[in-house]
Every structure is written in C-alpha cells, then in structure tokens.
Amino acid sequence: MRIESPREFERLGAVRIYGLQKVYELDAGPDSATQEEEDSVVRRVSSEAINSIERQMAIVVPVRNERLKLIEGVLVGIPHDCLVIVVSNSPREPVDKFYLEQEAIKNYCRFTRKQVVVVHQKDPGIAAAFAAAGYTEILDDKDLVRNGKAEGMIMGTILAKLMGRKYVGFVDSDNYFPGAVNEYVKEYAAGFHINQSDYSMVRISWHSKPKVVENSLYFAKWGRSSRHSNMFLNRLVGHHTGFETEIVKTGNAGEHALTVELAMGIDYATGYAVETFHYVHLLEKYGAILGEGDDASAPASDMHHKVKISQIESRNPHLHESKGDEHVEDMIAASLSTIYHSRLCPESLREEIEQDLQRRHYLKEGDQLAPMRVYKSLDRMDFNVFGDKASAVIKVSGQTHTTVAPGATASAPAAASTSSSSA
Ligand code: GDD
Ligand code: MG
C-alpha cells in the first residue's frame, strides 16, 4: 500500500490525532520490488509488512439479523491470515437465525479453511465467564451480555486477546462490497505498521457513500451522523488547544482497529455511541486536560504511553444496508451525549449540542440529553479466570476438536463456535 504521511496532527497530552491520510496505491508491491528512497510525503508499506500485521490481527464482525449473503461477502473480503470472530446477536426465535448463520459460515470455511470463531452474544457460558472474572456490568437482568453493538465489540475484543492476537479490528457485517472490507483491513495493517506503538488506533473515513439521487448515482462524502460527531469533537479539541481545528474526520468510524493493549485499557460507551466516545475517553484519560470544575488534584493523565490515532481515507465506495432515519437520529444523539456528558465539555459546547438536538426536534426544550452507559476498561477483570471459563466454552469444531487455551493462537484451519450452539 502507498499511503500519504499525515500532514498535521493535534497533540493533547499523550494523545496524537493525525490528520486524514490518502491512499495512493492499494498494493504497492512486495519488499523485493525496486528499492525506493524513503519519502517524507508518501510511505510505501510492502505486502509482506501488511501480511505480518494481518497474521497478528483478529477481525471482529458484529452481526444482528443481517442477510446471510452480506455476512458471507464480508468474510470473503477479510484477508486469510486474520482470525475472524463473528459476534452475533441475531434472534434464535421464532426462526433460529444464529443457526443459519453458523451453517453458512461453516460451509464457507470448508472452501477457504479460514479460522473463524462464531459466538452468540447471549451465550450463557461467556456471560458466566464475565461474571466469574468480575466484569458484571456488561450483564443484564437475565445475567446475559446486554444488547448493543459495543457490547458485541467488547466480547469480540476479549476473545481476540484470549486467542493471542495483538491487534483487533472491526468491520460491520452489512457491507455490500467484499473489496471494501479487504481494503479496510489492509489499511488497519498499514496504519499499525507505520505507527509502531502499543497504544495505537486506526480509523477509516470512507471516500464516498453511493446514493441514488434523482435517478443517478451520487457519491456523498459525509453521512449525517459523522458530520455531527466530527463537528462537535473538533469544537471540543479546539476548546482545549485554543485553536479551531478540523482534524477529526472519523467521529463515527464503525470501521476501526486498535492494538489489543489499548483496547483492554479504555472504557466503552454502549451501543452506537462507542466510536465517538473513543475520542472523548482518550482525551479524558490520556489528554492531560483539566475539565471545568476539576482541581489540580484530579487524577493525573496517563502520560507513559504515546496514544496515536491515525485516520485513513479508503478508496472503495462504502455501501451498506439502509436502516432508516430514526436509527440515524438515535445514533447522532447517542454520539453527542458522550461529548455532552464528558467532564471536558465546556458549558458553551453543551448549549450548542442542546440547541442542535432541539432544532432537529430530537430534544424538547428543558429536557436533558440522557447519558450513555459506560463500561469500565477490560483490564479490571481477572483475565485468567475469564480465560479458563471461556476456553471451556469455545471449541474449534472443525477437523481437530481442540479446546482453545488462554493466550494461545488458534492455528487450526476451521470454523469454531460456542459449545452451547447447535452447529
Ligand atoms: N453483535 C451485535 N450486537 N452486532 C450488532 C448489534 C448488536 O446488538 N447491533 C447492530 N449490530 C451490527 C450490525 O449487524 C452491523 O453489522 C453493525 O453492527 C453496524 O450496525 P448498523 O445498524 O448497520 O449501523 P449503521 O450502519 O447505522 O452504523 C454504522 O456506521 C456508523 C458510522 O456511519 C455503525 O458501525 C456505527 O457504529 C457507526 O458509527
Ligand atoms: Mg450499517
């Protein structure tokens, strides 16, 4: 891959937010290709370098009731050496959609010999592992993992660690273009190769999102939700640096990846608020910023790690299932709520957020924007206990019937599933 070096960055404490990087070539050749001088404007990342990251990466695919053809297309796009972890929250009644998903994935794995783990978000064994490890906040009143995309991502993240992977990336399961999925994963790998930090995050900004407008194709740049999150996140950053900025372009990046070390150390907001909250929380935790009302004795920011956030502009158009206007409005409110309720959010910005939501009739005057549930970082749980319990639940159900040991890399080319499932 040939990719632009970031031209600018914003630094807040230990956090660096790099400006958007363009991709110039999806495949820039192997190591042995013509020796090129290092260029400060554009970086070449060889196919070997990309593959070496892919071998250490798990890709989590959250699923809730998507069409099987779409899920299969997404699996087609994920590079072979990545471990795939499908976390499904699809209904099991009246039709057992999860069973159908498992059947389709198992069949797909017969042809590709890809490593795929399939778990259901409501698996009682995994819920019991969370409970035993002391991470009960993720459980609902039935002692099962709560609903929500973030909750599925948290489950995927801890499984990625359990399977010994160093990086964890996310791709939505409702993507129509396998080629786009393939590109996102390569861009995660290129980002990690360039960043070389244990506290690194790579976020994708889609180049375009095709829509039909007046009977012809229109390639829109920004979705409604990203436009809002980006604008208010930039106001937040600008407030604390004193300089207006447009650095944030990926406030809602569903497609993003992190080092597992960083993923284990950060808090998560529920549902679709998860991606915007990444920025808010990273600034809260590592930004060395005092919020309004904080005194100097407030807990110090962690300055021991350089937290790098890369934003890469993908080239393929992004086409996914359309889920309706109400869903987008909910997503905007959830995202903005994470900014609104942050201790870093100044009163003036709170007012702007309220006015914005009132203008769009989401919030009535005098009503308060509800705070989002926040889960504390995964490194607070007893990982060994979780590993023992969860390993007994997750079995590779292909040729070898191996139980996956904590910290081990699953090497069997097979589909795996939870034992409680009926695959
Ligand atoms: N496991 C699991 N559990 N997966 C879920 C759940 C859940 O409760 N809810 C949704 N998903 C899956 C969907 O099946 C899909 O693959 C993915 O999560 C994203 O959900 P969508 O409902 O398709 O969201 P979207 O397309 O409107 O929004 C996406 O893009 C936004 C940026 O524009 C999401 O990735 C957002 O998080 C992102 O901000
Ligand atoms: Mg979608």
Side-chain angles (χ1 to χ4, degrees), residues 134-174:
Y135 200 75
T136 47
E137 57 202 274
I138 198 155
L139 304 179
D140 61 15
D141 51 8
K142 293 190 183 116
D143 287 335
L144 297 175
V145 171
R146 292 177 196 277
N147 292 324
K149 184 193 171 213
E151 288 73 357
M153 289 167 57
I154 291 173
M155 206 158 146
T157 299
I158 191 82
L159 294 178
K161 181 171 168 65
L162 190 64
M163 307 290 271
R165 296 283 160 147
K166 184 172 177 200
Y167 306 100
V168 58
F170 301 90
V171 286
D172 287 352
S173 55
D174 61 342

Side-chain angles (χ1 to χ4, degrees), residues 356-406:
D356 181 85
L357 292 172
Q358 283 163 7
R359 217 174 12 250
R360 285 179 310 101
H361 308 292
Y362 194 90
L363 203 64
K364 289 200 201 91
E365 224 177 313
D367 281 358
Q368 260 264 341
L369 183 57
M372 291 291 112
R373 184 191 300 278
V374 170
Y375 300 106
K376 292 289 174 206
S377 58
L378 287 161
D379 57 10
R380 292 163 193 240
M381 75 160 82
D382 188 333
F383 180 70
N384 290 332
V385 171
F386 180 88
D388 283 347
K389 293 257 177 199
S391 303
V393 172
I394 299 169
K395 295 190 178 70
V396 178
S397 64
Q399 295 171 326
T400 53
H401 290 276
T402 332
T403 302
V404 177

Side-chain angles (χ1 to χ4, degrees), residues 66 172-175 206 272 318-323 327 331:
E66 304 293 355
D172 287 352
S173 55
D174 61 342
N175 197 316
W206 312 319
Y272 295 107
H318 184 92
L319 186 64
H320 66 139
E321 284 282 74
S322 171
K323 307 220 165 116
H327 167 70
M331 195 145 70

Side-chain angles (χ1 to χ4, degrees), residues 52-63:
S52 105
I53 305 267
E54 286 167 357
R55 278 188 267 123
Q56 305 173 70
M57 183 150 48
I59 296 295
V60 175
V61 182
V63 178

Side-chain angles (χ1 to χ4, degrees), residues 144-305:
L144 297 175
V145 171
R146 292 177 196 277
N147 292 324
K149 184 193 171 213
E151 288 73 357
M153 289 167 57
I154 291 173
M155 206 158 146
T157 299
I158 191 82
L159 294 178
K161 181 171 168 65
L162 190 64
M163 307 290 271
R165 296 283 160 147
K166 184 172 177 200
Y167 306 100
V168 58
F170 301 90
V171 286
D172 287 352
S173 55
D174 61 342
N175 197 316
Y176 278 92
F177 295 154
V181 171
N182 186 262
E183 181 188 352
Y184 301 148
V185 178
K186 303 260 171 222
E187 281 155 359
Y188 299 159
F192 289 128
H193 175 81
I194 291 170
N195 275 348
Q196 302 277 334
S197 159
D198 288 339
Y199 276 57
S200 171
M201 177 184 276
V202 182
R203 302 169 73 93
I204 304 293
S205 168
W206 312 319
H207 184 266
S208 64
K209 215 173 153 178
K211 287 181 179 169
V212 176
V213 179
E214 291 170 7
N215 285 332
S216 56
L217 265 185
Y218 176 71
F219 290 86
K221 177 86 192 105
W222 302 108
R224 271 187 294 159
S225 179
S226 332
R227 204 184 305 237
H228 271 81
S229 303
N230 292 344
M231 179 176 80
F232 286 111
L233 283 170
N234 280 320
R235 297 261 168 90
L236 183 70
V237 172
H239 174 83
H240 290 289
T241 58
F243 289 85
E244 195 171 5
T245 179
E246 292 198 332
I247 197 89
V248 176
K249 308 278 192 211
T250 56
N252 282 105
E255 272 67 31
H256 66 271
L258 307 80
T259 54
V260 167
E261 204 166 334
L262 180 61
M264 292 294 293
I266 57 173
D267 297 353
Y268 291 90
T270 183
Y272 295 107
V274 56
E275 285 100 11
T276 307
F277 185 66
H278 279 148
Y279 275 108
V280 173
H281 177 65
L282 288 175
L283 294 177
E284 285 174 349
K285 183 163 181 182
Y286 302 102
I289 305 168
L290 285 181
E292 272 176 20
D294 285 348
D295 59 35
S297 62
S301 271
D302 185 345
M303 296 291 290
H304 296 103
H305 303 278

